[in-house]
Amino acid sequence: MPDRFTSLHDAVNAMLARIDGPLRVGAPLGIGKPHRLLNALYERIEADPSRPLSLYTALSLDPPRGRSLLEQRFLDPFVERLYGPEFPRLSYVAAQKRDALPAHIEVEEFYLQSGALLGSIQAQRSYASLNYTHVARALADRGVNCIVQKVAANADGSRLSLSSNTDLTFDAVDAIVARGLPRPLLVAEIDPHLPWLDGVAAVDANWFDIVIAPPAPHPPLFALPREPVGDADYAIGLHASTLVRDGGTLQIGIGALSDALCHALVLRHTDNAAYRRVLQALAPGIETHPAVVASGGLGPFEQGLYGCSEMINEGFRALVQAGVLRRKVVDDQALMQRVVDGDADADDHARLDRDGEFLHGAFYLGSPDFYDWLRTLDDATRRGIGMRRVSAVNELYGGNETLERLQRRDARFFNTCMMATALGAAVSDGLEDGRVVSGVGGQYNFVAMAHALPDARSALLLRATRGVQGRAMSNLRWNYGHTTIPRHLRDVYVTEYGIADLRGKCDEDCVVAMAAIAAAPFQQALLDEAKASGKLGRDSSAPTAWQRNTPAHLRETLAPFRRDGTLPDYPLGSDFTAVEQRLVRALGWLKARTATRLGLLRTIGTALFATGSADGDAMERMRLHAPTGVSERLHARLLALALRRTA
């Protein structure tokens, strides 16, 4: 039986006593990471240079902090409400951000919290660029001798669920043992807030060597605030939703683009008439687009979809609740073959209904509402969700390839990228100066799998432009000094202006297709660069129809559907109050208009002489309803202006 502790101090003592020499510790990404245990271990090792520590992990989540006065006044109360005052921020992350990790402590991550560590030299130097499915092998290469993980427990503690993170623990233990190394010390920290998920995720408690049940208060699980979905996000999600085939398989990433896609799929299924009205306004004739004809559709989901995604997130909850995700699979090759062939009998369908699962994932992450949903699932829905190893989800070659091909028919893999080139390469995780924004994760796995499965497609979603110091810049580039997905794996790209199907196309056709979904001001320059490189004919030019690719035209097109609630700001719910939602809009407006020195001066000038009533509740929420001092008065003026302009 495992050694059991309630004291983190005693548990750390036991870990140090059972491991000789340097500690090489693996910890799950996201919410499977035991913050309190890692902080106790870090505190002990920080003070003892004789015990070097190497920590191997990813996605070390840290609640946001405001930088400016307005950001602080908005974020501080929100963060305290969402995470609670007792939320344990990771000590090593705070040290990384200051480049203050001691010489005998190293933290190596294969996926960073997006954009959070661009300025950390220590984090950038210790980043490991790995496909998600290659991490277990890398942990074995590094000789990991301890794995720590947060778990859920049944009533008597005899069974533990890896719950949020079945992704790497099993694979890592197997890889380490297969290398001929001792089985690592396995340490579990029980969290009563972590939802119980059974099946593959559950093990006997004695699978672990040490089990810790720290006393209350138990901090809440790290939550991702749900973002507002803008016009460009909705346009991308709507276009992408037409590529999904009924009866198929779905993988999606996270963020506003994924939220928009999930909302579009729910709308397609639950109110198909409204869905078609929006599409007709956004992209007349999209039902005849070759990619939609070949790979998708516009109808409701009569058969339903099977979800197979490394991460289960907020959008999957909406898809399950709406009845979009309901196509079940079982790990029985013969039965799945009969289903695909149309030869399944009544007994086969009865078994699918009884034993089948409609959603597989390797880890999950979301909002407090999402975690509450997982905790309170009815038995039938809970049985339909299976947490699996990442090797079983992200690739075809980790188990029974024939079975997985039968299960994953008509697979659609939707992921996001930051930029794309006109020849089809994607930039998703880093900058051309070498700094890492996030990580490769499973994106390469899914893009490659789309080419390995005969009826699958990979669609990379991106906004056509981004703001840089107050100016719009194109995210569709001729070339860029960093690549995540090489152009030989090009498939489908989706921006707010349409769908570019690049699979099997020659370079000239790729350039034309990508220019067609670029923002209008940047199209001709892209074509000119292609001409200069010999990839396009000299007489090529942007057709007049492409000039509609502007934010103004998009805003005008979608405005009726934003007003009538078809496309709400927060389609999956919100963690912000109504007042905070108004502030989110206002602060976004203000940030965009003060990004340059000239813009700042102009906005200040406008604010100083502006008149009109202020949003009293919003001003009070920001503690600027009765400003004192020059700085507060100026910020109050600026905020009042922003609130009026975005009302």
Side-chain angles (χ1 to χ4, degrees):
M1 296 299 292
D3 293 335
R4 292 183 178 266
F5 300 93
T6 57
S7 162
L8 291 166
H9 174 83
D10 292 344
V12 170
N13 282 342
M15 291 169 62
L16 295 175
R18 295 180 64 165
I19 298 173
D20 292 328
L23 287 91
R24 295 181 291 275
V25 179
L29 57 75
I31 63 171
K33 198 181 275 77
H35 283 215
R36 289 194 287 178
L37 174 61
L38 285 170
N39 282 347
L41 179 63
Y42 182 87
E43 180 182 352
R44 182 74 61 85
I45 298 300
E46 184 182 30
D48 184 6
S50 69
R51 294 300 301 268
L53 168 65
S54 295
L55 176 64
Y56 306 103
T57 188
L59 198 57
S60 297
L61 296 166
D62 191 38
R65 298 181 188 271
R67 297 178 183 176
S68 66
L69 181 144
L70 290 178
E71 282 187 356
Q72 289 170 1
R73 293 198 175 186
F74 178 79
L75 281 176
D76 289 352
F78 173 72
V79 167
E80 182 166 342
R81 185 178 77 239
L82 190 64
Y83 301 104
E86 72 275 11
F87 187 85
R89 291 178 181 265
L90 288 162
S91 300
Y92 70 80
V93 172
Q96 279 180 310
K97 289 182 176 180
R98 304 190 314 272
D99 283 324
L101 286 174
H104 64 292
I105 296 179
E106 179 187 29
V107 178
E108 182 181 299
E109 299 196 70
F110 70 89
Y111 199 99
L112 308 178
Q113 187 170 0
S114 186
L117 294 169
L118 278 169
S120 169
I121 294 172
Q122 287 183 328
Q124 292 292 327
R125 289 176 61 186
S126 295
Y127 167 75
S129 186
L130 296 166
N131 280 351
Y132 205 166
T133 51
H134 296 166
V135 173
R137 180 181 66 197
L139 295 177
D141 290 341
R142 287 150 176 75
V144 163
N145 53 22
C146 178
I147 294 177
V148 299
Q149 173 146 7
K150 188 182 289 188
V151 300
N154 66 356
D156 64 5
S158 62
R159 297 274 289 169
L160 302 177
S161 170
L162 275 61
S163 186
S164 62
N165 287 81
T166 52
D167 50 344
L168 285 170
T169 303
F170 296 127
D171 281 342
V173 170
D174 288 351
I176 291 166
V177 173
R179 188 63 56 85
L181 299 171
R183 183 177 185 268
L185 182 72
L186 298 179
V187 183
E189 179 188 310
I190 295 174
D191 187 338
H193 293 314
L194 201 63
W196 175 274
L197 291 173
D198 215 323
V200 174
V203 297
D204 290 335
N206 61 11
W207 192 75
F208 287 92
D209 302 296
I210 294 175
V211 175
I212 311 154
H218 300 286
L221 300 175
F222 187 95
L224 289 178
R226 287 163 285 189
E227 305 173 47
V229 176
D231 292 337
D233 307 328
Y234 265 127
I236 293 168
L238 285 158
H239 280 113
S241 70
T242 67
L243 299 172
V244 179
R245 176 156 289 167
D246 187 21
T249 304
L250 184 66
Q251 178 266 326
I252 55 175
I254 195 169
L257 300 186
S258 299
D259 292 354
L261 169 58
C262 290
H263 181 70
L265 291 171
V266 169
L267 190 65
R268 173 177 160 180
H269 183 62
T270 60
D271 192 347
N272 196 253
Y275 173 74
R276 289 174 183 265
R277 285 196 298 272
V278 179
L279 279 176
Q280 182 60 30
L282 177 68
I286 194 171
E287 66 276 7
T288 63
H289 190 293
V292 177
V293 173
S295 304
L298 305 187
F301 298 99
E302 302 296 337
Q303 300 176 61
L305 303 177
Y306 156 58
C308 187
S309 185
E310 70 178 25
M311 178 172 63
I312 301 175
N313 58 33
E314 206 77 37
F316 282 106
R317 173 173 68 113
L319 294 171
V320 171
Q321 291 174 327
V324 175
L325 281 185
R326 67 179 190 278
R327 180 173 75 82
K328 293 183 177 181
V329 302
V330 292
D331 291 340
D332 183 327
Q333 182 176 320
L335 191 157
M336 293 307 303
Q337 185 68 63
R338 291 194 295 275
V339 170
V340 170
D341 294 340
D343 297 330
D345 59 20
D347 289 341
D348 289 334
H349 287 293
R351 184 180 168 201
L352 272 173
D353 186 58
R354 183 184 68 248
D355 301 332
E357 296 175 330
F358 53 77
L359 178 56
H360 286 153
F363 77 99
Y364 63 75
L365 188 60
S367 71
D369 288 347
F370 174 68
Y371 301 140
D372 285 341
W373 174 69
L374 287 174
R375 291 186 197 100
T376 58
L377 289 173
D378 60 83
D379 290 341
T381 306
R382 190 183 304 278
R383 285 196 302 271
I385 299 174
M387 300 301 293
R388 300 292 181 100
R389 301 170 182 234
V390 74
S391 60
V393 173
N394 284 32
E395 61 185 4
L396 292 170
Y397 318 115
N400 185 336
E401 180 180 344
T402 302
L403 172 65
E404 290 169 359
R405 286 178 177 274
L406 293 169
Q407 293 173 336
R408 299 175 192 186
R409 65 176 189 259
D410 285 311
R412 300 292 178 266
F413 303 112
F414 293 101
N415 292 282
T416 60
C417 60
M418 300 186 297
M419 290 174 278
T421 71
L423 295 176
V427 181
S428 307
D429 65 318
L431 306 178
E432 60 187 346
D433 64 6
R435 286 181 298 157
V436 180
V437 176
S438 52
V440 178
Q443 184 172 115
Y444 187 96
N445 289 132
F446 289 116
V447 172
M449 200 190 320
H451 289 273
L453 291 168
D455 51 6
R457 301 304 300 267
S458 160
L460 294 179
L461 317 180
L462 74 159
R463 298 175 183 91
T465 61
R466 68 185 185 280
V468 178
Q469 295 183 336
R471 297 176 54 202
M473 295 190 68
S474 180
N475 286 328
L476 282 82
R477 309 283 293 265
W478 174 246
N479 207 357
Y480 192 72
H482 174 76
T483 294
T484 311
I485 304 299
R487 76 183 203 183
H488 72 270
L489 289 179
R490 58 196 181 197
D491 200 345
V492 176
Y493 283 94
V494 181
T495 74
E496 59 267 41
Y497 302 121
I499 300 167
D501 186 352
L502 310 186
R503 179 177 282 198
K505 302 291 176 61
C506 67
D507 282 356
E508 181 174 34
D509 290 342
C510 289
V511 171
V512 173
M514 293 296 273
I517 64 169
F522 305 101
Q523 292 163 354
Q524 194 57 52
L526 197 62
L527 296 176
D528 289 343
E529 288 187 274
K531 293 176 192 177
S533 300
K535 292 292 185 179
L536 202 60
R538 290 290 177 184
D539 57 346
S540 299
S541 60
T544 303
W546 292 5
Q547 296 310 300
R548 292 195 297 266
N549 292 6
T550 65
H553 182 263
L554 194 63
R555 185 166 55 250
E556 180 182 351
T557 300
L558 296 182
F561 308 103
R562 302 306 299 265
R563 286 194 297 268
D564 69 13
T566 303
L567 303 178
D569 286 349
Y570 294 87
L572 303 183
S574 178
D575 305 288
F576 301 116
T577 65
V579 171
E580 288 170 342
Q581 290 177 29
R582 299 200 297 272
L583 284 166
V584 167
R585 288 195 298 271
L587 293 172
W589 181 92
L590 194 59
K591 183 177 181 179
R593 279 152 185 80
T594 58
T596 64
R597 181 175 178 81
L598 180 59
L600 175 62
L601 293 174
R602 284 177 175 169
T603 308
I604 289 174
T606 303
L608 290 176
F609 295 99
T611 58
S613 60
D615 183 332
D617 290 339
M619 299 300 288
E620 185 171 358
R621 164 63 175 79
M622 297 289 283
R623 305 195 308 279
L624 288 172
H625 55 294
T628 60
V630 174
S631 177
E632 278 200 359
R633 290 191 179 96
L634 176 58
H635 282 92
R637 285 275 189 173
L638 288 167
L639 182 59
L641 173 68
L643 286 163
R644 285 194 294 271
R645 293 292 176 88
T646 57

